[in-house]
Short mmCIF file of all heavy atoms in Angstrom, two decimals:
data_model
loop_
_atom_site.label_atom_id
_atom_site.label_comp_id
_atom_site.label_asym_id
_atom_site.label_seq_id
_atom_site.Cartn_x
_atom_site.Cartn_y
_atom_site.Cartn_z
N MET H 1 -24.17 126.23 265.26
CA MET H 1 -25.59 126.43 265.53
C MET H 1 -26.23 126.77 264.31
O MET H 1 -25.78 127.80 263.54
CB MET H 1 -25.84 127.43 266.52
CG MET H 1 -27.19 127.78 266.88
SD MET H 1 -27.51 127.31 268.51
CE MET H 1 -29.28 127.88 268.60
N THR H 2 -27.35 126.19 263.85
CA THR H 2 -28.08 126.54 262.52
C THR H 2 -29.03 127.58 262.73
O THR H 2 -29.46 127.96 263.97
CB THR H 2 -28.91 125.31 262.11
OG1 THR H 2 -29.85 124.99 263.20
CG2 THR H 2 -28.05 124.08 261.92
N THR H 3 -29.28 128.45 261.73
CA THR H 3 -30.09 129.53 261.81
C THR H 3 -31.60 129.09 261.97
O THR H 3 -32.35 129.74 262.58
CB THR H 3 -30.01 130.46 260.52
OG1 THR H 3 -30.32 129.61 259.50
CG2 THR H 3 -28.68 131.07 260.55
N GLN H 4 -32.00 127.97 261.47
CA GLN H 4 -33.30 127.46 261.60
C GLN H 4 -33.45 126.52 262.69
O GLN H 4 -32.79 125.41 262.75
CB GLN H 4 -33.77 126.69 260.22
CG GLN H 4 -35.10 126.06 260.20
CD GLN H 4 -36.18 126.97 260.36
OE1 GLN H 4 -36.17 128.11 260.11
NE2 GLN H 4 -37.29 126.58 261.05
N GLN H 5 -34.25 126.91 263.74
CA GLN H 5 -34.39 126.13 264.90
C GLN H 5 -35.49 125.10 264.69
O GLN H 5 -36.46 125.27 264.10
CB GLN H 5 -34.89 127.18 266.07
CG GLN H 5 -35.11 126.40 267.41
CD GLN H 5 -33.80 126.00 268.18
OE1 GLN H 5 -32.90 125.53 267.60
NE2 GLN H 5 -33.79 126.41 269.41
N GLN H 6 -35.22 123.87 265.16
CA GLN H 6 -36.17 122.80 265.04
C GLN H 6 -37.42 123.23 265.87
O GLN H 6 -37.38 123.74 266.96
CB GLN H 6 -35.58 121.45 265.69
CG GLN H 6 -34.60 120.88 264.85
CD GLN H 6 -35.16 120.29 263.52
OE1 GLN H 6 -35.01 121.00 262.47
NE2 GLN H 6 -35.90 119.23 263.60
N MET H 7 -38.62 122.72 265.21
CA MET H 7 -39.87 122.95 265.88
C MET H 7 -40.59 121.75 266.20
O MET H 7 -40.38 120.69 265.59
CB MET H 7 -40.81 123.85 264.93
CG MET H 7 -40.12 125.23 264.39
SD MET H 7 -39.79 126.34 265.80
CE MET H 7 -41.55 127.05 266.04
N LEU H 8 -41.38 121.89 267.26
CA LEU H 8 -42.35 120.68 267.72
C LEU H 8 -43.73 121.06 267.56
O LEU H 8 -44.02 122.32 268.03
CB LEU H 8 -42.03 120.20 269.09
CG LEU H 8 -40.67 119.60 269.41
CD1 LEU H 8 -40.55 119.45 270.86
CD2 LEU H 8 -40.55 118.31 268.82
N LYS H 9 -44.69 120.39 267.15
CA LYS H 9 -46.03 120.54 267.21
C LYS H 9 -46.68 119.73 268.33
O LYS H 9 -46.39 118.47 268.32
CB LYS H 9 -46.71 120.28 265.84
CG LYS H 9 -46.68 121.30 264.80
CD LYS H 9 -47.58 121.02 263.59
CE LYS H 9 -47.59 122.24 262.70
NZ LYS H 9 -48.42 122.01 261.55
N VAL H 10 -47.44 120.36 269.22
CA VAL H 10 -47.95 119.65 270.33
C VAL H 10 -49.42 119.82 270.35
O VAL H 10 -49.95 120.99 270.10
CB VAL H 10 -47.36 120.14 271.66
CG1 VAL H 10 -47.86 119.41 272.78
CG2 VAL H 10 -45.90 120.12 271.69
N GLN H 11 -50.12 118.80 270.52
CA GLN H 11 -51.71 118.70 270.50
C GLN H 11 -52.22 118.34 271.83
O GLN H 11 -51.76 117.31 272.22
CB GLN H 11 -52.18 117.89 269.38
CG GLN H 11 -53.73 117.95 269.23
CD GLN H 11 -54.29 117.14 268.11
OE1 GLN H 11 -53.66 116.26 267.66
NE2 GLN H 11 -55.45 117.43 267.72
N LEU H 12 -53.11 118.97 272.33
CA LEU H 12 -53.73 118.66 273.63
C LEU H 12 -54.86 117.73 273.30
O LEU H 12 -55.82 118.02 272.60
CB LEU H 12 -54.45 119.89 274.31
CG LEU H 12 -54.95 119.73 275.64
CD1 LEU H 12 -53.89 119.21 276.70
CD2 LEU H 12 -55.79 120.94 276.19
N VAL H 13 -54.73 116.40 273.76
CA VAL H 13 -55.73 115.23 273.41
C VAL H 13 -56.48 114.83 274.64
O VAL H 13 -57.44 114.09 274.41
CB VAL H 13 -54.85 114.10 272.77
CG1 VAL H 13 -54.26 114.57 271.56
CG2 VAL H 13 -53.83 113.54 273.72
N LYS H 14 -56.05 115.33 275.74
CA LYS H 14 -56.91 114.97 276.96
C LYS H 14 -57.15 116.14 277.88
O LYS H 14 -56.27 116.94 277.93
CB LYS H 14 -56.16 113.83 277.80
CG LYS H 14 -56.97 113.18 278.92
CD LYS H 14 -56.16 112.15 279.49
CE LYS H 14 -56.96 111.32 280.60
NZ LYS H 14 -57.19 112.05 281.65
N SER H 15 -58.36 116.18 278.47
CA SER H 15 -58.67 117.51 279.14
C SER H 15 -57.86 117.59 280.52
O SER H 15 -57.59 116.50 281.18
CB SER H 15 -60.13 117.43 279.65
OG SER H 15 -60.47 118.39 280.53
N PRO H 16 -57.36 118.72 280.84
CA PRO H 16 -56.58 118.78 282.12
C PRO H 16 -57.46 119.05 283.31
O PRO H 16 -56.94 119.21 284.37
CB PRO H 16 -55.78 120.16 281.86
CG PRO H 16 -56.51 120.95 280.84
CD PRO H 16 -57.21 119.89 279.95
N ILE H 17 -58.74 118.99 283.09
CA ILE H 17 -59.65 119.04 284.29
C ILE H 17 -59.39 117.82 285.17
O ILE H 17 -59.33 116.64 284.80
CB ILE H 17 -61.14 119.02 283.76
CG1 ILE H 17 -61.48 120.26 283.07
CG2 ILE H 17 -62.07 118.78 284.99
CD1 ILE H 17 -62.83 120.27 282.40
N GLY H 18 -59.19 118.11 286.46
CA GLY H 18 -59.05 117.11 287.44
C GLY H 18 -57.57 116.73 287.61
O GLY H 18 -57.32 115.77 288.39
N THR H 19 -56.65 117.43 286.95
CA THR H 19 -55.24 117.22 287.13
C THR H 19 -54.66 118.16 288.05
O THR H 19 -55.34 119.16 288.52
CB THR H 19 -54.52 117.23 285.72
OG1 THR H 19 -54.67 118.62 285.29
CG2 THR H 19 -55.05 116.33 284.80
N LYS H 20 -53.41 118.00 288.44
CA LYS H 20 -52.74 118.81 289.35
C LYS H 20 -52.64 120.33 288.70
O LYS H 20 -52.62 120.40 287.63
CB LYS H 20 -51.30 118.45 289.64
CG LYS H 20 -51.11 117.17 290.46
CD LYS H 20 -49.72 116.86 290.69
CE LYS H 20 -49.47 115.57 291.41
NZ LYS H 20 -48.12 115.32 291.59
N GLN H 21 -52.67 121.27 289.67
CA GLN H 21 -52.62 122.72 289.26
C GLN H 21 -51.43 123.03 288.46
O GLN H 21 -51.42 123.60 287.38
CB GLN H 21 -52.77 123.70 290.46
CG GLN H 21 -52.74 125.11 290.09
CD GLN H 21 -53.91 125.57 289.14
OE1 GLN H 21 -55.09 125.18 289.56
NE2 GLN H 21 -53.71 126.20 288.16
N SER H 22 -50.25 122.39 288.92
CA SER H 22 -49.06 122.67 288.09
C SER H 22 -49.12 122.05 286.66
O SER H 22 -48.49 122.58 285.87
CB SER H 22 -47.83 122.04 288.92
OG SER H 22 -48.01 120.63 288.92
N HIS H 23 -49.80 120.96 286.51
CA HIS H 23 -49.99 120.41 285.22
C HIS H 23 -50.87 121.25 284.37
O HIS H 23 -50.60 121.43 283.20
CB HIS H 23 -50.51 118.94 285.34
CG HIS H 23 -49.46 117.94 285.97
ND1 HIS H 23 -49.61 116.63 285.65
CD2 HIS H 23 -48.52 118.13 286.73
CE1 HIS H 23 -48.66 116.00 286.28
NE2 HIS H 23 -47.97 116.84 286.97
N ARG H 24 -51.88 121.84 285.00
CA ARG H 24 -52.70 122.72 284.22
C ARG H 24 -51.97 124.01 283.87
O ARG H 24 -52.16 124.50 282.66
CB ARG H 24 -53.99 123.05 284.99
CG ARG H 24 -55.06 121.93 285.27
CD ARG H 24 -56.29 122.39 285.72
NE ARG H 24 -56.25 123.07 287.05
CZ ARG H 24 -56.37 122.45 288.22
NH1 ARG H 24 -56.60 121.11 288.11
NH2 ARG H 24 -56.30 123.14 289.28
N ASP H 25 -51.09 124.50 284.75
CA ASP H 25 -50.22 125.60 284.33
C ASP H 25 -49.27 125.30 283.21
O ASP H 25 -49.02 126.06 282.45
CB ASP H 25 -49.44 126.10 285.57
CG ASP H 25 -50.34 126.55 286.65
OD1 ASP H 25 -51.63 127.00 286.47
OD2 ASP H 25 -49.95 126.64 287.85
N THR H 26 -48.77 124.10 283.19
CA THR H 26 -47.88 123.63 282.12
C THR H 26 -48.62 123.59 280.78
O THR H 26 -47.93 124.01 279.74
CB THR H 26 -47.25 122.26 282.52
OG1 THR H 26 -46.65 122.35 283.73
CG2 THR H 26 -46.26 121.86 281.45
N VAL H 27 -49.81 123.16 280.77
CA VAL H 27 -50.59 123.06 279.44
C VAL H 27 -50.76 124.55 279.04
O VAL H 27 -50.49 124.81 277.87
CB VAL H 27 -52.00 122.44 279.83
CG1 VAL H 27 -52.93 122.70 278.56
CG2 VAL H 27 -51.86 121.04 280.15
N ARG H 28 -51.06 125.43 279.78
CA ARG H 28 -51.24 126.85 279.51
C ARG H 28 -49.89 127.52 279.00
O ARG H 28 -49.93 128.21 278.10
CB ARG H 28 -51.83 127.68 280.58
CG ARG H 28 -53.22 127.31 280.95
CD ARG H 28 -54.24 127.65 279.89
NE ARG H 28 -54.38 129.10 279.65
CZ ARG H 28 -54.14 129.70 278.46
NH1 ARG H 28 -53.80 128.95 277.41
NH2 ARG H 28 -54.27 130.98 278.39
N GLY H 29 -48.85 127.03 279.74
CA GLY H 29 -47.41 127.57 279.43
C GLY H 29 -47.03 127.09 277.96
O GLY H 29 -46.18 127.78 277.39
N LEU H 30 -47.53 125.89 277.53
CA LEU H 30 -47.27 125.52 276.25
C LEU H 30 -48.12 126.19 275.18
O LEU H 30 -48.04 125.91 274.00
CB LEU H 30 -47.34 123.93 276.09
CG LEU H 30 -46.34 123.14 276.82
CD1 LEU H 30 -46.69 121.67 276.82
CD2 LEU H 30 -44.98 123.32 276.23
N GLY H 31 -49.01 126.93 275.60
CA GLY H 31 -49.88 127.70 274.74
C GLY H 31 -51.06 127.00 274.15
O GLY H 31 -51.72 127.20 273.16
N LEU H 32 -51.49 125.89 275.00
CA LEU H 32 -52.63 125.10 274.55
C LEU H 32 -53.92 125.49 275.51
O LEU H 32 -53.68 125.77 276.62
CB LEU H 32 -52.33 123.62 274.87
CG LEU H 32 -51.11 123.08 274.15
CD1 LEU H 32 -50.76 121.68 274.71
CD2 LEU H 32 -51.41 122.92 272.80
N ARG H 33 -54.98 125.78 274.69
CA ARG H 33 -56.22 126.22 275.40
C ARG H 33 -57.26 125.05 275.41
O ARG H 33 -57.49 124.35 276.32
CB ARG H 33 -56.75 127.42 274.71
CG ARG H 33 -55.85 128.68 275.02
CD ARG H 33 -56.49 129.80 274.31
NE ARG H 33 -55.72 131.08 274.64
CZ ARG H 33 -56.22 131.94 275.65
NH1 ARG H 33 -57.23 131.69 276.15
NH2 ARG H 33 -55.51 132.96 275.91
N LYS H 34 -57.88 124.83 274.23
CA LYS H 34 -59.02 124.00 274.16
C LYS H 34 -58.51 122.55 273.77
O LYS H 34 -57.35 122.47 273.30
CB LYS H 34 -60.04 124.46 273.07
CG LYS H 34 -60.72 125.76 273.36
CD LYS H 34 -61.63 126.17 272.35
CE LYS H 34 -62.39 127.48 272.68
NZ LYS H 34 -63.23 127.82 271.74
N LEU H 35 -59.39 121.57 273.90
CA LEU H 35 -59.02 120.18 273.47
C LEU H 35 -58.78 120.22 272.03
O LEU H 35 -59.34 120.92 271.14
CB LEU H 35 -60.25 119.36 273.78
CG LEU H 35 -59.91 117.89 274.17
CD1 LEU H 35 -58.88 117.78 275.37
CD2 LEU H 35 -61.11 117.19 274.51
N ASN H 36 -57.82 119.46 271.59
CA ASN H 36 -57.31 119.35 270.21
C ASN H 36 -56.59 120.58 269.64
O ASN H 36 -56.39 120.62 268.50
CB ASN H 36 -58.47 118.87 269.26
CG ASN H 36 -58.93 117.48 269.60
OD1 ASN H 36 -58.12 116.63 269.87
ND2 ASN H 36 -60.36 117.32 269.67
N SER H 37 -56.36 121.56 270.51
CA SER H 37 -55.59 122.79 270.07
C SER H 37 -54.26 122.35 269.81
O SER H 37 -53.67 121.42 270.46
CB SER H 37 -55.76 123.91 271.03
OG SER H 37 -55.01 123.57 272.32
N VAL H 38 -53.55 122.98 268.80
CA VAL H 38 -52.17 122.68 268.44
C VAL H 38 -51.32 123.80 268.67
O VAL H 38 -51.66 124.97 268.29
CB VAL H 38 -52.02 122.18 266.90
CG1 VAL H 38 -50.68 121.92 266.56
CG2 VAL H 38 -52.89 120.95 266.80
N SER H 39 -50.18 123.72 269.19
CA SER H 39 -49.15 124.76 269.41
C SER H 39 -47.87 124.34 268.71
O SER H 39 -47.44 123.19 268.92
CB SER H 39 -48.94 125.05 270.85
OG SER H 39 -48.22 126.07 271.14
N GLU H 40 -47.15 125.15 268.07
CA GLU H 40 -45.87 125.02 267.46
C GLU H 40 -44.89 125.56 268.36
O GLU H 40 -44.80 126.86 268.52
CB GLU H 40 -45.73 125.43 265.98
CG GLU H 40 -44.69 124.89 265.19
CD GLU H 40 -44.79 125.14 263.71
OE1 GLU H 40 -45.90 125.20 263.30
OE2 GLU H 40 -43.79 125.06 263.07
N LEU H 41 -43.94 124.85 268.93
CA LEU H 41 -42.97 125.43 269.81
C LEU H 41 -41.50 125.07 269.35
O LEU H 41 -41.26 124.06 268.77
CB LEU H 41 -43.22 124.84 271.23
CG LEU H 41 -44.59 124.97 271.63
CD1 LEU H 41 -44.94 123.89 272.75
CD2 LEU H 41 -44.76 126.25 272.38
N GLN H 42 -40.55 125.88 269.80
CA GLN H 42 -39.16 125.61 269.63
C GLN H 42 -38.76 124.28 270.33
O GLN H 42 -39.17 124.17 271.36
CB GLN H 42 -38.27 126.84 269.88
CG GLN H 42 -38.34 127.92 268.92
CD GLN H 42 -37.28 128.92 269.12
OE1 GLN H 42 -36.67 128.92 270.15
NE2 GLN H 42 -37.13 129.73 268.09
N ASP H 43 -37.91 123.54 269.82
CA ASP H 43 -37.36 122.31 270.46
C ASP H 43 -36.19 122.69 271.38
O ASP H 43 -35.04 122.53 270.89
CB ASP H 43 -36.99 121.37 269.32
CG ASP H 43 -36.68 119.94 269.91
OD1 ASP H 43 -36.73 119.87 271.18
OD2 ASP H 43 -36.18 119.04 269.17
N THR H 44 -36.55 123.01 272.58
CA THR H 44 -35.54 123.35 273.51
C THR H 44 -35.58 122.31 274.80
O THR H 44 -36.71 121.74 274.90
CB THR H 44 -35.68 124.79 274.11
OG1 THR H 44 -36.95 124.77 274.86
CG2 THR H 44 -35.59 125.71 272.96
N PRO H 45 -34.58 122.29 275.55
CA PRO H 45 -34.75 121.34 276.73
C PRO H 45 -35.76 121.65 277.65
O PRO H 45 -36.52 120.79 278.28
CB PRO H 45 -33.36 121.48 277.44
CG PRO H 45 -32.45 121.83 276.32
CD PRO H 45 -33.19 122.74 275.47
N ALA H 46 -36.14 123.00 277.77
CA ALA H 46 -37.26 123.38 278.74
C ALA H 46 -38.62 122.97 278.15
O ALA H 46 -39.37 122.47 278.99
CB ALA H 46 -37.24 124.93 278.77
N VAL H 47 -38.75 123.15 276.85
CA VAL H 47 -40.07 122.65 276.27
C VAL H 47 -40.23 121.18 276.32
O VAL H 47 -41.28 120.52 276.59
CB VAL H 47 -40.17 123.15 274.73
CG1 VAL H 47 -41.29 122.48 274.06
CG2 VAL H 47 -40.25 124.70 274.79
N ARG H 48 -39.02 120.47 276.08
CA ARG H 48 -39.06 118.99 276.18
C ARG H 48 -39.50 118.55 277.61
O ARG H 48 -40.24 117.67 277.80
CB ARG H 48 -37.78 118.48 275.90
CG ARG H 48 -37.20 118.41 274.47
CD ARG H 48 -37.72 117.30 273.76
NE ARG H 48 -37.44 117.36 272.31
CZ ARG H 48 -37.17 116.37 271.50
NH1 ARG H 48 -37.23 115.24 272.08
NH2 ARG H 48 -36.97 116.53 270.28
N GLY H 49 -39.00 119.20 278.61
CA GLY H 49 -39.26 118.91 279.96
C GLY H 49 -40.74 119.11 280.30
O GLY H 49 -41.37 118.33 281.03
N MET H 50 -41.37 120.25 279.78
CA MET H 50 -42.75 120.58 279.94
C MET H 50 -43.69 119.43 279.27
O MET H 50 -44.54 119.01 279.84
CB MET H 50 -43.09 121.93 279.40
CG MET H 50 -42.50 122.98 280.20
SD MET H 50 -42.71 124.67 279.32
CE MET H 50 -44.36 125.11 279.83
N ILE H 51 -43.22 119.03 278.05
CA ILE H 51 -43.95 117.92 277.38
C ILE H 51 -43.90 116.68 278.25
O ILE H 51 -44.82 115.92 278.31
CB ILE H 51 -43.48 117.79 275.94
CG1 ILE H 51 -43.91 119.03 275.16
CG2 ILE H 51 -44.00 116.52 275.21
CD1 ILE H 51 -43.15 119.14 273.72
N ASN H 52 -42.64 116.40 278.67
CA ASN H 52 -42.55 115.07 279.43
C ASN H 52 -43.44 115.09 280.72
O ASN H 52 -44.01 114.07 281.11
CB ASN H 52 -41.14 114.92 279.95
CG ASN H 52 -40.25 114.20 278.97
OD1 ASN H 52 -40.74 113.53 278.02
ND2 ASN H 52 -38.99 114.19 279.21
N LYS H 53 -43.56 116.26 281.39
CA LYS H 53 -44.40 116.43 282.55
C LYS H 53 -45.84 116.06 282.35
O LYS H 53 -46.45 115.47 283.16
CB LYS H 53 -44.20 117.85 283.14
CG LYS H 53 -44.88 118.03 284.45
CD LYS H 53 -44.59 119.47 284.97
CE LYS H 53 -45.37 119.74 286.22
NZ LYS H 53 -44.97 121.02 286.84
N ILE H 54 -46.33 116.49 281.14
CA ILE H 54 -47.76 116.27 280.87
C ILE H 54 -47.92 115.39 279.69
O ILE H 54 -48.80 115.58 278.86
CB ILE H 54 -48.49 117.62 280.60
CG1 ILE H 54 -47.82 118.47 279.50
CG2 ILE H 54 -48.51 118.41 281.78
CD1 ILE H 54 -48.63 119.66 278.98
N SER H 55 -47.05 114.35 279.51
CA SER H 55 -47.04 113.46 278.39
C SER H 55 -48.41 112.86 278.27
O SER H 55 -48.81 112.40 277.13
CB SER H 55 -46.00 112.56 278.38
OG SER H 55 -46.05 111.80 279.60
N TYR H 56 -49.12 112.54 279.37
CA TYR H 56 -50.44 111.85 279.30
C TYR H 56 -51.55 112.76 278.74
O TYR H 56 -52.66 112.15 278.57
CB TYR H 56 -50.67 111.27 280.74
CG TYR H 56 -50.93 112.38 281.78
CD1 TYR H 56 -52.23 112.60 282.20
CD2 TYR H 56 -49.86 112.97 282.27
CE1 TYR H 56 -52.44 113.61 283.05
CE2 TYR H 56 -50.06 113.91 283.35
CZ TYR H 56 -51.28 114.25 283.72
OH TYR H 56 -51.62 115.17 284.68
N LEU H 57 -51.30 113.98 278.63
CA LEU H 57 -52.30 114.93 278.15
C LEU H 57 -52.14 115.37 276.71
O LEU H 57 -53.00 115.73 276.05
CB LEU H 57 -52.43 116.21 279.06
CG LEU H 57 -52.73 116.00 280.53
CD1 LEU H 57 -52.58 117.42 281.21
CD2 LEU H 57 -54.13 115.43 280.69
N VAL H 58 -50.79 115.23 276.22
CA VAL H 58 -50.55 115.76 274.87
C VAL H 58 -49.98 114.71 273.96
O VAL H 58 -49.69 113.63 274.44
CB VAL H 58 -49.51 116.88 274.96
CG1 VAL H 58 -50.08 118.12 275.77
CG2 VAL H 58 -48.21 116.35 275.65
N LYS H 59 -50.08 115.07 272.62
CA LYS H 59 -49.55 114.18 271.66
C LYS H 59 -48.55 115.13 270.76
O LYS H 59 -48.94 116.20 270.42
CB LYS H 59 -50.65 113.54 270.74
CG LYS H 59 -50.17 112.77 269.59
CD LYS H 59 -51.28 112.11 268.90
CE LYS H 59 -52.22 113.06 268.12
NZ LYS H 59 -53.21 112.37 267.42
N VAL H 60 -47.44 114.55 270.46
CA VAL H 60 -46.44 115.30 269.71
C VAL H 60 -46.65 114.94 268.12
O VAL H 60 -46.61 113.74 267.92
CB VAL H 60 -44.97 115.09 270.10
CG1 VAL H 60 -43.98 115.82 269.16
CG2 VAL H 60 -44.74 115.53 271.51
N LEU H 61 -46.94 115.92 267.42
CA LEU H 61 -47.23 115.55 265.94
C LEU H 61 -45.97 115.63 265.11
O LEU H 61 -45.06 116.27 265.39
CB LEU H 61 -48.20 116.71 265.46
CG LEU H 61 -49.59 116.74 266.21
CD1 LEU H 61 -50.40 117.87 265.87
CD2 LEU H 61 -50.29 115.41 266.07
#
């Protein structure tokens, strides 16, 4: 295991208004607030799953 963990940058590109509550909760869980906000997260299976769930709302930079 390396000491430096891989990071992912995720940007909210579509509004979560009108989506399922669980999808809105996932957006907040990733640390995204406003449109075009960017969050830097560790590349873990849990984070990958969250990104997959709301892939239509976010862009991985």
Side-chain angles (χ1 to χ4, degrees):
M1 179 114 178
T2 60
T3 55
Q4 176 61 28
Q5 181 77 313
Q6 285 294 104
M7 300 299 277
L8 291 172
K9 275 191 174 182
V10 184
Q11 182 178 22
L12 186 63
V13 294
K14 189 174 185 294
S15 173
I17 294 173
T19 60
K20 292 181 178 179
Q21 182 63 49
S22 65
H23 291 203
R24 291 196 296 269
D25 294 341
T26 303
V27 169
R28 293 295 292 122
L30 288 173
L32 301 167
R33 288 178 174 264
K34 297 180 178 180
L35 212 54
N36 294 320
S37 63
V38 176
S39 187
E40 195 166 336
L41 305 154
Q42 288 192 343
D43 187 4
T44 62
V47 169
R48 288 274 176 151
M50 291 170 80
I51 292 170
N52 269 348
K53 182 175 181 177
I54 57 164
S55 59
Y56 64 100
L57 296 175
V58 296
K59 177 169 70 174
V60 177
L61 303 174

